[in-house]
Amino acid sequence: MTTCIKCGNVENVVRSGFVRGKQRMFCKACNLYFTITPHNHLTTKKPHQTTIIDIAKVLGISPSTVSRALNNSTEINENTRQEILRVANELDYRPNFLAQSLNRGETHTIGVIIPDIQRPFFAGVVAGIQKVATEAGYRVMICQSNESHHTETLNVQALVTSRVDGLLISHSKETNSFEHVKLQLKKGLPIVHFDRVCNEVDTAKVIQEDFSGGFALIEHLISQGYKRIAILAGPADLLISKTRIDGYKAALEKHGIEVDEDLIYHSNFSKEESVKALDYWLSLPQKPDSIFTIHYANGIEMIMALKERNVRIPEEIGIVAFGDELIASLIEPSLTTFHQFPFKIGETAAGILIENIINKESFVPYTKVIEGELIIRKSSLKTNRKYNQQA
Amino acid sequence: MTTCIKCGNVENVVRSGFVRGKQRMFCKACNLYFTITPHNHLTTKKPHQTTIIDIAKVLGISPSTVSRALNNSTEINENTRQEILRVANELDYRPNFLAQSLNRGETHTIGVIIPDIQRPFFAGVVAGIQKVATEAGYRVMICQSNESHHTETLNVQALVTSRVDGLLISHSKETNSFEHVKLQLKKGLPIVHFDRVCNEVDTAKVIQEDFSGGFALIEHLISQGYKRIAILAGPADLLISKTRIDGYKAALEKHGIEVDEDLIYHSNFSKEESVKALDYWLSLPQKPDSIFTIHYANGIEMIMALKERNVRIPEEIGIVAFGDELIASLIEPSLTTFHQFPFKIGETAAGILIENIINKESFVPYTKVIEGELIIRKSSLKTNRKYNQQA
DNA sequence: GTCGTTTTCGGAAACGTTTCCGATAGTTTA
DNA sequence: TAAACTATCGGAAACGTTTCCGAAAACGAC
């Protein structure tokens, strides 16, 4: 009943199974297998983004010529170019970034991995990154690790899958192995660390004055007469935490104050841990007379908790914190901080990454330190003489 | 001197111009044009991300089989699949998102345009969007308009170039024409508006209780005995500003208070404008006894400015604001707000957009209102009886 | 007019993946 | 045991762009 699509023979055509639900035939005459398609439905051309092929068809020329016109090639007649640009504009042509990137082998996109976009510090960093990236013609793709090592690894893979040209990473507080980063670095992907960096990988880094910031805050406290200074640190593995502790210890040693391990508390930055640390300290026979939190938000929490417990600030306990946000100047009492400049950190990191991307072969990793600023406020001013001046 | 690359003839080869800097020859014997390339340099295979072709070569099979193995196709032998997966894992294969997207015609990426990532509200929205998008297997690409109409237009074009599957937009405060959105909508791009929506375009929208939020705040003020209520609004074109003013007016009318146009001030949300508005109001013969700012940050600024001017809050002037952040509860006096839920707004908007993307044909735009919550604090509590309760 | 030169364009390969369309060997059914 | 079927694979087209290579026409100088 079925005619062979090749020889037109009818008698020698037999059925030969199904392929993907469609009846398959075999023509013994011409030795041909073929399937029967219900009907080639009328090819409804869907509306789509216009392509250079569309433009070429309109003008009756070849796609390569259109491409040349759009890419400011010299190998094209000016009149032709104008015609092409006119039609392109008429059809609201937008180049297909996917095809371009696939062809060129670069996406002009950089990936950013941060713990949490909702933290003002990282929002500021992202804004700085976007500014520099946009100016340089790069897109930005942002991922949040939510402070999870596993999610961070997935983020890296997702961004590699997206074939980003480079990566900006601030590690989660959980991250203590860096294989996911090393692997991509080995494959030649430019990577720049910022803020929460790691020393085990040979990448460029943008960091803050973690050591000298801690040092400055503690020296300020000492200048105000505080002697038993507690520190609310971060996870033991976190490098910025370690470095800030080092600054803390160095300042104590310089002024002949012994380090008391009881006064060093490792937290996960959560409010619960802050309160727990505070209550622990207040229960000690020798209570601290001041507290340094390495995360600004914990400083705010400390002030709130101390007010609840009717402890006077700064008379009974002084507070200083690393990092500065608007809120630090508005709370009562206002909070002494070491101000970091997130926007600048973002700008710098993005700049270095793009430098790395462009000079892939010759780039030599280096570390850039963004200077911070000690901002003295009421929470640490026992004596009244040094308001808003560095100790 | 040159031998023809085809017939090997030497005598009949003549020079025939230059093409792209390379000497071009013509062989009169075999009628052939050809150029002379210095030397086909040794093909240095660069290290690259592994492709399915690499895998196929290793196993001596075809790329299509590898693709099938990786895509959980049924048309493949289980043993073959395992072998392929093993090699893929060994070579740390990551599918090339660009090639996949180009082939499938979808990127599984959604674009987000917001005015400023540094504003906590938008950071919260973005976090909500990312949560839902990630769970659904979508990537997110974020652009900031920096409150500029022009930048917003460029953002739309950039995202279209990136071939995002859909768009989430909160307009800049400058934006008063919506052609850039309409154009893409006409081309079939799913678009969902949130927060700063516009009524001129037929898209799905996620909005807050702008009207009833304003209404509730004003009714609360009235219940506290305030009668001359000023409002610091946004740009006259901004829809959310208009709607909140409508809520303000409706509440006044309900309680028989006449609307005084002197007490309506259109600002651009900047601190300077806030202070200007305040000083203007304070200079009036009939000063207001309370102020409603439609942007929470302006409320904070008002409190600071009033404290500087030694005006007592809430006794002389009460303050309420639309929007709530941590800072509102920490400032002295704490600020009465209408709390919006940015994270939820983001979640909802992303959910609707993905719904729109998946059911592109059958999707019918609708508007979803995210309920807010009146949070009464000290800045508006003249009488002391209704702390933390809705009026 | 001849010959080398320049300008301008078309064809085709390549980027990495998916998918359509067959093809083959082995397996079941009648 | 032949016919019908299933399982499994390869080849090639397609996605939209850039770019390499070559061709033709126009141009210039002698």
Side-chain angles (χ1 to χ4, degrees):
Chain A
M1 263 336 198
T2 317
T3 51
C4 172
I5 56 172
K6 186 173 173 188
C7 62
N9 198 313
V10 178
E11 323 225 329
N12 288 320
V13 175
V14 293
R15 281 184 287 176
S16 169
F18 282 88
V19 181
R20 278 164 297 267
K22 284 182 294 188
Q23 178 61 257
R24 184 147 168 273
M25 312 302 283
F26 178 65
C27 174
K28 289 191 256 185
C30 58
N31 221 11
L32 176 75
Y33 287 92
F34 60 93
T35 55
I36 303 180
T37 38
H39 199 336
N40 236 8
H41 215 64
L42 48 98
T43 49
T44 45
K45 279 280 176 191
K46 281 188 227 166
H48 60 172
Q49 290 284 352
T50 63
T51 71
I52 58 170
I53 300 181
D54 294 329
I55 300 177
K57 274 184 190 157
V58 169
L59 292 170
I61 59 180
S62 99
S64 51
T65 306
V66 178
S67 175
R68 272 185 280 259
L70 265 26
N71 287 294
N72 295 322
S73 163
T74 55
E75 295 187 14
I76 189 170
N77 183 287
E78 191 53 33
N79 295 331
T80 316
R81 180 202 304 282
Q82 292 306 330
E83 270 300 280
I84 292 174
L85 292 183
R86 191 182 55 75
V87 175
N89 196 38
E90 219 165 71
L91 271 53
D92 189 47
Y93 169 78
R94 304 277 158 221
N96 186 320
F97 164 78
L98 300 165
Q100 278 184 331
S101 301
L102 181 59
N103 183 283
R104 294 191 181 140
E106 53 182 26
T107 54
H108 273 241
T109 304
I110 63 184
V112 179
I113 301 180
I114 54 175
D116 180 5
I117 187 82
Q118 292 192 79
R119 289 193 22 207
F121 173 77
F122 289 114
V125 172
V126 166
I129 292 172
Q130 288 215 333
K131 172 165 177 282
V132 170
T134 303
E135 284 171 2
Y138 280 80
R139 294 163 182 71
V140 177
M141 189 159 270
I142 300 160
C143 293
Q144 301 180 75
S145 66
N146 293 320
E147 301 283 13
S148 148
H149 185 164
H150 182 238
T151 306
E152 182 179 306
T153 306
L154 293 181
N155 286 339
V156 171
Q157 291 179 1
L159 291 172
V160 168
T161 292
S162 289
R163 293 298 188 274
V164 292
D165 288 349
L167 223 48
L168 286 170
I169 304 187
S170 185
H171 284 295
S172 90
K173 66 187 177 197
E174 252 186 45
T175 307
N176 50 15
S177 94
F178 302 92
E179 294 310 318
H180 55 307
V181 176
K182 288 182 189 169
L183 180 61
Q184 300 309 327
L185 200 65
K186 205 187 303 170
K187 283 204 211 165
L189 184 69
I191 298 177
V192 172
H193 278 95
F194 65 93
D195 186 38
R196 301 206 197 145
V197 305
C198 81
N199 282 341
E200 304 177 26
V201 186
D202 185 31
T203 56
K205 303 179 211 308
V206 177
I207 57 177
Q208 316 171 41
E209 292 188 301
D210 291 308
F211 183 90
S212 31
F215 191 91
L217 285 166
I218 301 305
E219 267 210 319
H220 159 70
L221 282 177
I222 293 172
S223 81
Q224 292 292 316
Y226 294 105
K227 287 194 169 59
R228 262 186 81 67
I229 305 173
I231 176 168
L232 182 66
D237 280 336
L238 197 62
L239 186 59
I240 56 169
S241 175
K242 288 189 220 170
T243 313
R244 290 173 195 179
I245 294 177
D246 288 345
Y248 158 87
K249 288 183 178 174
L252 291 184
E253 279 176 27
K254 175 179 171 191
H255 292 272
I257 301 178
E258 204 173 327
V259 173
D260 181 349
E261 291 294 333
D262 267 352
L263 297 182
I264 301 179
Y265 193 102
H266 288 279
S267 92
N268 62 356
F269 297 134
S270 75
K271 185 175 178 180
E272 292 70 32
E273 290 267 317
S274 299
V275 173
K276 216 168 123 188
L278 178 60
D279 285 332
Y280 167 69
W281 285 328
L282 291 182
S283 74
L284 290 177
Q286 285 214 314
K287 296 176 195 165
D289 59 11
S290 54
I291 300 172
F292 165 33
T293 71
I294 73 160
H295 181 30
Y296 90 95
N298 296 145
I300 303 289
E301 288 155 13
M302 283 293 177
I303 290 180
M304 302 301 291
L306 284 169
K307 281 165 85 172
E308 278 175 19
R309 286 159 183 71
N310 291 318
V311 178
R312 282 172 303 141
I313 311 169
E315 292 82 0
E316 294 180 61
I317 286 195
I319 305 273
V320 299
F322 204 106
D324 188 66
E325 297 299 332
L326 180 60
I327 201 172
S329 62
L330 297 180
I331 197 170
E332 287 286 340
S334 55
L335 175 62
T336 293
T337 62
F338 190 77
H339 182 47
Q340 35 193 1
F341 296 91
F343 194 87
K344 188 166 184 194
I345 293 175
E347 284 182 310
T348 310
I352 295 178
L353 179 62
I354 292 174
E355 180 191 338
N356 189 347
I357 291 171
I358 294 175
N359 308 322
K360 213 164 184 173
E361 313 304 327
S362 62
F363 182 81
V364 180
Y366 60 96
T367 297
K368 182 114 182 177
V369 180
I370 304 299
E371 284 184 22
E373 185 186 348
L374 180 65
I375 300 182
I376 299 175
R377 297 203 185 88
K378 292 182 189 165
S379 69
S380 65
L381 272 185
K382 201 148 55 168
T383 68
N384 227 353
R385 52 192 161 88
K386 287 193 176 175
Y387 190 62
N388 224 6
Q389 283 181 20
Q390 184 149 353
Chain B
M1 260 336 199
T2 318
T3 51
C4 173
I5 56 171
K6 188 175 173 189
C7 61
N9 197 312
V10 179
E11 323 223 330
N12 288 322
V13 175
V14 294
R15 280 183 288 175
S16 169
F18 282 88
V19 180
R20 279 164 296 269
K22 284 182 294 188
Q23 178 61 257
R24 183 149 171 270
M25 312 303 281
F26 178 63
C27 174
K28 290 192 248 185
C30 57
N31 222 10
L32 175 77
Y33 287 94
F34 61 94
T35 55
I36 302 181
T37 39
H39 198 338
N40 236 7
H41 215 63
L42 46 98
T43 49
T44 45
K45 278 279 174 191
K46 279 189 228 168
H48 60 172
Q49 290 284 352
T50 62
T51 70
I52 58 169
I53 299 181
D54 295 329
I55 301 177
K57 272 184 190 158
V58 169
L59 293 170
I61 58 179
S62 99
S64 49
T65 306
V66 178
S67 175
R68 273 186 279 260
L70 266 25
N71 287 295
N72 296 321
S73 163
T74 55
E75 295 186 15
I76 188 170
N77 184 287
E78 191 53 33
N79 295 331
T80 316
R81 180 203 304 282
Q82 291 306 330
E83 270 300 281
I84 292 173
L85 291 183
R86 192 182 55 76
V87 175
N89 197 37
E90 219 166 69
L91 271 53
D92 189 48
Y93 168 77
R94 304 279 158 221
N96 186 320
F97 164 78
L98 300 165
Q100 279 185 330
S101 301
L102 181 59
N103 184 282
R104 295 204 250 245
E106 54 181 26
T107 54
H108 274 237
T109 304
I110 63 183
V112 179
I113 300 179
I114 54 175
D116 181 4
I117 188 81
Q118 292 192 79
R119 290 194 20 207
F121 173 77
F122 289 113
V125 171
V126 166
I129 292 172
Q130 287 215 334
K131 172 165 177 282
V132 170
T134 303
E135 284 171 1
Y138 280 79
R139 293 163 183 71
V140 177
M141 189 159 270
I142 300 159
C143 293
Q144 300 180 76
S145 66
N146 294 320
E147 301 284 11
S148 148
H149 185 163
H150 182 238
T151 306
E152 182 179 304
T153 306
L154 293 181
N155 286 338
V156 171
Q157 291 180 1
L159 291 172
V160 168
T161 292
S162 290
R163 293 298 190 271
V164 291
D165 288 349
L167 224 47
L168 285 170
I169 304 186
S170 186
H171 284 294
S172 90
K173 66 186 178 196
E174 252 186 46
T175 307
N176 50 13
S177 94
F178 303 91
E179 294 310 317
H180 54 307
V181 176
K182 288 181 189 169
L183 181 61
Q184 301 309 326
L185 199 66
K186 205 187 303 171
K187 284 204 210 165
L189 184 68
I191 298 177
V192 172
H193 279 94
F194 65 92
D195 185 38
R196 301 209 196 142
V197 305
C198 81
N199 282 341
E200 303 177 27
V201 186
D202 185 31
T203 57
K205 302 179 211 308
V206 178
I207 56 177
Q208 316 172 41
E209 291 188 303
D210 292 307
F211 182 90
S212 31
F215 191 90
L217 285 167
I218 301 305
E219 267 210 320
H220 159 69
L221 283 177
I222 294 172
S223 81
Q224 292 293 314
Y226 294 104
K227 287 193 169 59
R228 262 186 82 68
I229 305 172
I231 176 169
L232 182 65
D237 279 336
L238 197 61
L239 186 60
I240 56 168
S241 174
K242 288 189 220 171
T243 314
R244 291 174 193 178
I245 294 176
D246 287 344
Y248 159 87
K249 288 182 177 172
L252 291 183
E253 280 178 26
K254 175 179 170 188
H255 292 273
I257 301 178
E258 204 173 327
V259 173
D260 181 350
E261 291 294 335
D262 268 352
L263 298 183
I264 301 180
Y265 193 102
H266 288 280
S267 93
N268 61 355
F269 297 134
S270 75
K271 184 175 178 179
E272 292 70 33
E273 290 267 317
S274 299
V275 173
K276 216 167 122 188
L278 178 62
D279 285 333
Y280 167 69
W281 284 328
L282 290 181
S283 74
L284 289 177
Q286 285 213 313
K287 296 175 195 166
D289 59 11
S290 53
I291 300 172
F292 165 34
T293 71
I294 72 160
H295 181 30
Y296 90 95
N298 297 145
I300 303 289
E301 288 155 14
M302 283 292 176
I303 290 180
M304 302 302 290
L306 284 170
K307 281 165 84 171
E308 277 176 19
R309 286 159 182 71
N310 292 317
V311 178
R312 282 172 302 142
I313 311 170
E315 291 82 1
E316 294 181 60
I317 287 195
I319 305 273
V320 299
F322 203 106
D324 188 65
E325 297 299 331
L326 180 61
I327 202 171
S329 62
L330 297 180
I331 197 171
E332 288 283 342
S334 55
L335 176 62
T336 294
T337 62
F338 190 77
H339 182 48
Q340 36 193 0
F341 296 90
F343 194 87
K344 188 166 183 194
I345 292 175
E347 284 182 311
T348 309
I352 295 178
L353 179 61
I354 292 174
E355 180 190 337
N356 189 347
I357 291 171
I358 294 175
N359 308 323
K360 213 165 184 172
E361 315 304 326
S362 62
F363 182 82
V364 180
Y366 59 97
T367 297
K368 182 114 181 176
V369 180
I370 305 298
E371 284 184 22
E373 184 185 349
L374 180 64
I375 301 182
I376 299 175
R377 298 202 185 90
K378 292 183 190 165
S379 69
S380 65
L381 271 186
K382 200 149 54 168
T383 67
N384 227 355
R385 52 192 160 87
K386 289 194 176 176
Y387 189 60
N388 223 6
Q389 284 181 17
Q390 183 148 353

